[in-house]
Amino acid sequence: MASVDISLKETMTSIEGALGAALVDYTSGMALGTLGGGKDLDLAVAAAGNTDVIRAKTRTMEHLGLKSDIEDMLITLSNQYHLIRPLKGKDGNGLFLYLVLDKAKSNLAMARHQLKRIEAELEV
């Protein structure tokens, strides 16, 4: 099992094209940990904003009566991918991993695979 800091470091080093990563509590919108980012990528602001995205999708699924779990959400920008991965299990309830990738330098399928592996090793 890996701590939040170790998991975020693993995310940034093992996923090609990673620009920033965060572990976010979507009940409060607060980032529990961040790594990367910069002046053009404020991960605290992104964490709070993406909390609204995950809440809206969860509400919509409830209204539709969908019983499936969200594996991840993908937001594609002209030069970036933004991945939101809600954590599974009792320790991860209400949390999600957030990853920003450089679209030109990343492999989306591999990034999703790596993020799933990192989630499985994360201990909150």
Side-chain angles (χ1 to χ4, degrees):
M1 290 295 176
S3 70
V4 172
D5 290 337
I6 291 171
S7 293
L8 291 175
K9 286 178 188 170
E10 174 75 10
T11 300
M12 293 299 291
T13 58
S14 71
I15 300 178
E16 192 171 344
L19 299 173
L23 178 66
V24 184
D25 177 343
Y26 66 79
T27 57
S28 69
M30 298 294 296
L32 304 178
T34 63
L35 193 60
K39 68 178 180 82
D40 295 329
L41 179 58
D42 185 331
L43 289 171
V45 172
N50 283 302
T51 294
D52 294 334
V53 172
I54 202 163
R55 285 180 189 161
K57 185 59 185 173
T58 302
R59 269 192 318 273
T60 301
M61 288 176 64
E62 287 171 4
H63 291 308
L64 293 172
L66 299 176
K67 303 297 181 201
S68 295
D69 291 328
I70 299 170
E71 276 188 40
D72 57 38
M73 294 182 211
L74 172 64
I75 299 167
T76 305
L77 305 179
S78 60
N79 61 347
Q80 294 176 343
Y81 294 121
H82 292 231
L83 276 172
I84 300 168
R85 183 171 183 86
L87 300 187
K88 307 288 188 271
K90 63 181 175 110
D91 291 341
N93 195 21
L95 303 177
F96 67 90
L97 283 167
Y98 173 62
L99 174 63
V100 179
L101 299 164
D102 180 320
K103 194 173 178 182
K105 296 178 182 176
S106 62
N107 178 319
L108 183 57
M110 286 303 296
R112 291 181 70 221
H113 177 73
Q114 289 289 86
L115 200 58
K116 182 178 180 179
R117 181 188 56 75
I118 290 165
E119 174 199 356
E121 296 172 1
L122 176 64
E123 185 175 298
V124 182

